[in-house]
Amino acid sequence: MSLTSMPLVEISGAPRERGRQYGEQARERVRRALAYYAEAFTHSSGLSWPQVAERAAGWVEPSRAFAPDLVEEMEGLAEGAGVDFLDVLALNARGEIIYDTTFSSMEPDGCTSFALMSEASGDGHVYAGQNWDWRAGVADTLMVLRVVQPGKPTVIMHVEAGQVGRQGANSAGIALNANGLGGRFDDAVGVPQTLIRRKVLDSGDLGTALESLTKSKAHIASNALVTHRDGFAIDLETTPGAIGWMYPTDGLLVHGNHYQAFVPPQLADSYRPTSTDSLFRVPRAEGGLRAVSAASGTAEARKRIKLAMSDHLGYPESLCTHPDETQPPVKRWATLLSSCVDLTTGDYLITAGTPCDHEYERVPWNLYDGPHGDVTP
């Protein structure tokens, strides 16, 4: 199965078996991801891929202590893809390794995330989504992953091949969208974001999902926008230290790549946003998404969301980001994918590329489908 150029992978069973299924089905894309990051790290820091993988070893024990089942899933993934476990761990900790080795020249993820409550959506539905902005060179590693796991909600995510967590939603009606924040904190090794995000999506209730964010010791700062189908959303600006939070205003919440709820004490004297375009992406998204409230039905609401997320102020580094042809190919950014999850109906919609020139396509799995222990709406 595929959505235009994006494969769909479904895995099920115990952790190691899920990982093997993942690795076998995504083998070529995992290897493309390894090839891209080998080039990117060499370009930005001079590190060879074996050196990067060696550095990843520092996250083995924190990861195992936090989520032993996900480490087991990564071990199975490595077996299925025919690569080394540390290769897979490096793909999952690439943001943390970037932070430690090449912070000044290889920026953290972009992204503009949103939550629309029923009073702001025009059709009375609850929506969550984002434009996922990252290096254009990983576009052919993207995939949609469905995880059916005993005793936990079924999860649908869009990820880079080899990663066990990123953005998505689950059959308990919980969605997670995430954004990089930047900033330098202490040097203590913390948990990789991919594992924290997967823990959120593995949660069967809102309290457990939020505890995965507030009680974990992250290695880097990251924003997490959590939306629940019952009409609740909260944004958590998580750091290795303090956490800030904010709620929707008139049913809308938008977050970019700068601190909006607070500035962490460690950064207060010298904070400067790492992504200056975030300063206009957020209000542009807010303005566009306010128009969704006037939609006459679901089709129009989704059309208006897509239009809002296609904004080009500041092109090429706009809300809908396009590669800057003046940059070396390995450094070019783009909106890799735009997502729009309807938590009311369970429809999971994505564009396989920039939203300005791609239509939303419905993933063939509904969030609330299946006899696999899903929490029904």
Side-chain angles (χ1 to χ4, degrees):
M1 292 188 294
S2 67
L3 286 171
T4 306
S5 58
M6 195 172 300
L8 306 169
V9 171
E10 183 170 19
I11 60 177
S12 61
R16 199 175 201 96
E17 178 56 29
R18 293 197 304 265
R20 288 195 191 101
Q21 294 169 18
Y22 184 168
E24 289 170 358
Q25 295 179 73
R27 181 177 294 123
E28 291 308 313
R29 293 212 161 210
V30 169
R31 294 186 179 189
R32 287 180 203 165
L34 293 172
Y36 171 78
Y37 284 111
E39 180 184 6
F41 272 101
T42 297
H43 187 276
S44 63
S45 67
L47 291 175
S48 67
W49 184 254
Q51 290 173 312
V52 172
E54 182 179 352
R55 287 173 182 260
W59 280 275
V60 173
E61 290 311 313
S63 297
R64 199 181 301 279
F66 179 73
D69 57 327
L70 297 182
V71 172
E72 193 174 350
E73 189 171 295
M74 286 190 283
E75 290 170 340
L77 201 164
E79 293 169 6
V83 299
D84 190 80
F85 167 67
L86 289 181
D87 290 336
V88 172
L89 183 55
L91 291 177
N92 281 273
R94 55 101 164 135
E96 287 71 19
I97 299 170
I98 288 169
Y99 175 91
D100 275 6
T101 61
T102 62
F103 186 79
S104 63
S105 59
M106 193 172 177
E107 300 84 357
D109 302 60
C111 297
T112 310
S113 298
F114 69 87
L116 271 171
M117 303 296 98
S118 58
E119 63 268 31
S121 65
D123 62 354
H125 294 194
V126 176
Y127 290 96
Q130 72 182 98
N131 279 7
W132 177 15
D133 304 338
W134 182 229
R135 296 301 180 91
V138 306
D140 64 355
T141 76
L142 303 190
M143 49 182 275
V144 179
L145 181 66
R146 185 177 193 244
V147 186
V148 179
Q149 45 197 347
K152 296 179 181 179
T154 294
V155 175
I156 301 176
M157 301 179 287
H158 44 279
V159 299
E160 296 172 46
Q163 294 181 341
V164 296
R166 187 144 291 280
Q167 289 90 222
N170 72 18
S171 59
I174 297 169
L176 171 69
N177 298 97
N179 313 56
L181 285 172
R184 296 299 271 174
F185 295 85
D186 61 52
D187 294 328
V189 176
V191 180
Q193 283 294 322
T194 52
L195 274 67
I196 294 173
R197 295 174 187 181
R198 174 66 177 278
K199 272 275 200 177
V200 173
L201 291 170
D202 280 350
S203 300
D205 61 83
L206 186 60
T208 303
L210 296 183
E211 285 183 352
S212 298
L213 295 162
T214 61
K215 294 188 176 182
S216 58
K217 171 64 173 175
H219 189 82
I220 59 176
S222 181
N223 188 72
L225 176 49
V226 178
T227 308
H228 193 279
R229 68 173 173 225
D230 287 346
F232 177 84
I234 182 171
D235 187 276
L236 297 174
E237 294 177 347
T238 68
T239 81
I243 293 176
W245 57 89
M246 53 195 291
Y247 300 99
T249 300
D250 298 325
L252 174 64
L253 179 52
V254 176
H255 206 288
N257 302 110
H258 61 284
Y259 291 92
Q260 297 171 219
F262 82 134
V263 176
Q266 299 95 323
L267 310 179
D269 292 338
S270 59
Y271 174 64
R272 300 183 184 191
T274 56
S275 300
T276 54
D277 52 288
S278 178
L279 300 175
F280 58 81
R281 283 189 278 114
V282 169
R284 294 293 284 192
E286 289 174 338
L289 290 168
R290 289 285 176 208
V292 181
S293 64
S296 59
T298 297
E300 186 180 352
R302 294 174 180 181
K303 182 178 180 179
R304 289 183 179 224
I305 291 170
K306 178 180 178 295
L307 180 62
M309 303 308 285
S310 299
D311 187 77
H312 284 148
L313 178 68
Y315 183 95
E317 293 189 6
S318 41
L319 176 53
C320 179
T321 301
H322 291 255
D324 183 348
E325 302 298 330
T326 67
Q327 294 294 318
V330 73
K331 292 186 66 176
R332 292 174 187 167
W333 284 70
T335 295
L336 301 174
L337 175 154
S338 184
S339 64
C340 175
V341 179
D342 186 333
L343 289 171
T344 302
T345 65
D347 290 335
Y348 195 113
L349 308 168
I350 60 173
T351 66
T354 47
C356 66
D357 52 10
H358 294 82
E359 295 300 321
Y360 277 132
E361 299 177 83
R362 185 186 294 109
V363 171
W365 308 299
N366 187 281
L367 279 178
Y368 308 125
D369 277 350
H372 306 290
D374 302 61
V375 181
T376 55

